[in-house]
Structure formats: structure tokens, C-alpha cells
Amino acid sequence: MVMISKHGGFCYVSDMTDGSVTLSQSDVDDPVNIGAPDQRSTLNLGKVIREITDSAGDVTHKEQQPPQDPEIRRLDTAKARSELEWTPNASLHDGLRRSMPYFESQPQLPR
């Protein structure tokens, strides 16, 4: 598995849906970031996936990205917490574990 050097937040889809519905049903008119506030590198994500899937494959770090792309995106979810009283529920590990049955059921995906 080759991972390009990036950082981002990873939020389970049902948490994103719940946050979006909560926002749409609120009186908040300003933009609100819905998502996971913690940042992980894609290299770290690859290692977590390898751990969860019990894979023996290597995770390779590749320093290749467009020069205009920020290295770290830090999502500020403070407004979601304070004005919507919303935070994601699923941890990265839990979300990936819950996603595994779907990916395992897709025969066209490489193993």
C-alpha cells in the first residue's frame, strides 16, 4: 500500500450525516464545520488499516503532492460543539471496523 504524504480528518459517514442533519434542523445561519477534529497522516491511516485487517503488507510513504496543496488541513469544529452540541461518535478504529464488511463484499477491489 503506497500512501502519499497528507494529513486530514476521517469521520465515519453516519456521524457526518448526523452532524449535517443536526445543522440543517438548527437555527444556525453561519458556516459550521462538520467532521472529525483530530488529524492523521495517510501513512498513519494505512498503518491502522493494516492493523485492523491483519494484513502483513507494507505501508510505503511517498513524498509527492501538488505544491499548492496544504500539507495539513486542520478542521475547526468548535462551532459544531458549541452551537450544535455535536461531535462525532465513532473513533477512526471503530469506523474502519464497521466499514470492513462492505469492502470485503466488493470482489472487484484489490486484496
Side-chain angles (χ1 to χ4, degrees):
M1 177 184 317
V2 175
M3 307 301 287
I4 295 177
S5 178
K6 295 280 186 184
H7 288 77
F10 299 93
C11 189
Y12 191 64
V13 65
S14 63
D15 285 340
M16 290 293 291
T17 303
D18 179 56
S20 297
V21 169
T22 301
L23 176 59
S24 71
Q25 294 175 345
S26 76
D27 294 330
V28 176
D29 292 327
D30 297 324
V32 176
N33 290 322
I34 302 293
D38 61 323
Q39 299 293 299
R40 295 186 181 263
S41 70
T42 51
L43 179 62
N44 176 261
L45 176 64
K47 290 177 179 179
V48 171
I49 291 170
R50 186 180 63 192
E51 171 191 324
I52 288 173
T53 59
D54 242 356
S55 172
D58 291 331
V59 177
T60 305
H61 183 247
K62 189 174 181 182
E63 290 283 345
Q64 180 184 4
Q65 62 188 27
Q68 72 277 11
D69 204 16
E71 186 171 320
I72 297 177
R73 292 181 176 93
R74 194 160 314 280
L75 186 64
D76 182 358
T77 59
K79 192 180 279 190
R81 282 191 314 276
S82 65
E83 295 191 29
L84 301 176
E85 297 180 359
W86 179 88
T87 57
N89 292 314
S91 69
L92 176 65
H93 282 75
D94 291 341
L96 289 171
R97 280 191 192 98
R98 288 163 46 186
S99 299
M100 288 311 301
Y102 168 78
F103 289 106
E104 289 169 343
S105 74
Q106 302 301 305
Q108 74 277 13
L109 294 177
R111 302 261 186 255

